[in-house]
Amino acid sequence: MAKKEEQYWNTVISPDSYQKGLGLVELWRKKYLIWLFIRRDLTVQFKQTIFGFGWYFISPLFSVVMYMIVFGRIANIPTDDIPQPIFYLSGICLWEYFSTCLTSVSNTFQSNAGLYGKVYFPRLVSPVSVVLSSLFRFSLQLGTFIIVYLIFVAKGVDLHPNWYLLLFPVIILTLAGTALGLGLIVTSLTTKYRDLTNVFGTLVSLWMYATPIVYPLSFVTNPTLHKVMLLNPLTALIETFKYGAYGAGSFSWTSLAYSIGCMLVLVLIGTALFNRKQKYFIDTI
């Protein structure tokens, strides 16, 4: 009877992020996986749909009509003399990108549990790919905003776009980073405490009304409440975009720097916590 040969492992696959840093080097090495995940996300979203990409054009327009009726006609909330459709649409585009990224990233562990249990790859690939794939939806909605904006310009509406629009990439990067960092924190916490998911969903819904989406910041006249509004890192981002697009509203370099600082802190804390929790995720879930 032939003697059984001993087996030796020549290669050991282990996550670099467990030993050093935030796992960003390992993430960069596996960047091709991010593209594969983006393709997967886009394919799943539009598979077996009637309107396909059309939903991304229809959804914000329906929201604009609802806001015009509820907040414009019934509540009679001013819009800084900006036509209601483009005022609401500008806020909707930015908020939906942020909320979509935040909600998807916060469900990273639960939505990828089956995949995480079968094969190892840098876990940060999943949340990062969600943030990037959501840019496709955002670009379509932004295109809708630009079309509506140009229609009002052609009608002779006095809008005042200015050089602050050049800060638009900074605004999007800060929105994406804030959603990514906070989402990583939430998904790390909800892995063990599932009921926090419901609490977080409610807080995200309320967060929109604490952000100048359906009303201008100038509408908040109470000094104390105004200062509280400025503590919201999204306030400066929304106001900066509106100020650059319309020349109305307010802009502050200090407030913008505050939003960027909050984003960096959230990304660092979220990434560190995520890398720590991912080692025990499968055992916990």
Side-chain angles (χ1 to χ4, degrees):
M1 184 175 181
K3 185 178 180 180
K4 186 177 181 179
E5 296 183 359
E6 295 184 4
Q7 295 182 350
Y8 297 94
W9 299 105
N10 296 323
T11 303
V12 177
I13 301 176
S14 62
D16 296 339
S17 58
Y18 291 176
Q19 284 79 29
K20 55 185 178 180
L22 297 175
L24 301 182
V25 174
E26 185 186 19
L27 179 65
W28 176 254
R29 291 173 181 169
K30 307 294 184 180
K31 54 185 178 294
Y32 65 92
L33 286 176
I34 297 178
W35 170 243
L36 293 178
F37 272 68
I38 292 174
R39 290 183 59 185
R40 182 202 66 174
D41 292 341
L42 293 178
T43 301
V44 170
Q45 289 179 24
F46 301 109
K47 187 177 182 181
Q48 294 181 333
T49 59
I50 297 176
F51 295 103
F53 296 156
W55 286 116
Y56 290 163
F57 297 100
I58 297 172
S59 176
L61 294 178
F62 277 146
S63 298
V64 166
V65 173
M66 182 187 68
Y67 290 168
M68 290 175 63
I69 295 174
V70 176
F71 299 105
R73 294 292 181 87
I74 299 177
N76 199 27
I77 296 176
T79 57
D80 277 345
D81 297 326
I82 304 300
Q84 290 180 357
I86 56 176
F87 179 87
Y88 294 136
L89 194 55
S90 61
I92 289 172
C93 290
L94 295 178
W95 173 257
E96 286 201 358
Y97 173 65
F98 172 77
S99 61
T100 299
C101 293
L102 180 57
T103 303
S104 300
V105 173
S106 64
N107 293 323
T108 296
F109 278 139
Q110 286 76 12
S111 58
N112 293 282
L115 184 60
Y116 285 174
K118 294 179 180 178
V119 63
Y120 173 76
F121 59 91
R123 305 312 192 200
L124 280 173
V125 167
S126 302
V128 170
S129 66
V130 166
V131 172
L132 295 178
S133 63
S134 296
L135 282 173
F136 177 76
R137 172 178 180 173
F138 172 72
S139 64
L140 295 180
Q141 294 183 341
L142 182 64
T144 304
F145 166 75
I146 293 175
I147 292 173
V148 175
Y149 186 95
L150 293 178
I151 291 175
F152 277 93
V153 171
K155 289 183 177 180
V157 176
D158 192 17
L159 301 174
H160 303 281
N162 51 68
W163 291 106
Y164 288 98
L165 269 178
L166 295 177
L167 293 172
F168 182 72
V170 177
I171 295 172
I172 299 305
L173 181 61
T174 307
L175 276 176
T178 303
L180 177 64
L182 185 57
L184 291 176
I185 294 174
V186 172
T187 193
S188 300
L189 295 177
T190 55
T191 298
K192 185 175 183 180
Y193 306 104
R194 300 293 186 85
D195 56 338
L196 291 179
T197 303
N198 298 327
V199 176
F200 177 70
T202 302
L203 291 178
V204 171
S205 300
L206 295 176
W207 194 350
M208 191 193 81
Y209 297 102
T211 307
I213 303 295
V214 298
Y215 57 87
L217 186 60
S218 59
F219 181 70
V220 184
T221 56
N222 184 285
T224 302
L225 188 57
H226 188 88
K227 292 179 181 179
V228 173
M229 290 284 297
L230 292 177
L231 292 177
N232 179 358
L234 300 187
T235 297
L237 302 177
I238 301 297
E239 285 293 299
T240 298
F241 178 65
K242 291 180 178 180
Y243 188 81
Y246 315 131
S250 61
F251 171 78
S252 170
W253 286 108
T254 302
S255 298
L256 183 60
Y258 165 77
S259 298
I260 296 174
C262 289
M263 179 270 292
L264 294 175
V265 171
L266 287 173
V267 169
L268 290 175
I269 295 176
T271 305
L273 186 60
F274 183 85
N275 285 334
R276 180 180 178 182
K277 289 292 184 180
Q278 66 169 317
K279 294 185 291 184
Y280 315 106
F281 164 69
I282 295 300
D283 295 333
T284 304
I285 199 69

